[in-house]
Amino acid sequence: MSDFLSNAFQVISNRSADIEEKIDRLKKAKRDIENEQDQASVEIKKLLQPSLDSSWEAL
């Protein structure tokens, strides 16, 4: 019985570690996506409201 419990604990520990690794990877992917969205938002704002420098001013 002791071997069974020891093996069961080992299996649970391994699965827990695998799940934690997957969670960490998902969190990183979420951060990466949020960063990409933020950058895209900035780019869209630049496209919608371009700054006109002196070369674009009427003479």
Side-chain angles (χ1 to χ4, degrees):
M1 185 68 162
S2 176
D3 287 341
F4 172 77
L5 291 177
S6 178
N7 288 339
F9 179 76
Q10 186 64 33
V11 168
I12 292 169
S13 291
N14 288 342
R15 287 185 183 170
S16 177
D18 290 343
I19 291 170
E20 286 296 324
E21 180 183 346
K22 288 177 182 177
I23 289 171
D24 289 342
R25 287 175 36 209
L26 286 171
K27 286 179 179 178
K28 183 188 179 308
K30 180 182 176 186
R31 285 191 307 271
D32 291 346
I33 289 169
E34 289 171 342
N35 288 338
E36 287 291 327
Q37 288 175 331
D38 290 344
Q39 290 176 0
S41 178
V42 168
E43 292 298 321
I44 289 170
K45 286 179 185 175
K46 286 181 183 177
L47 290 171
L48 295 176
Q49 298 176 354
S51 63
L52 301 177
D53 62 13
S54 61
S55 65
W56 285 90
E57 293 176 5
L59 298 175

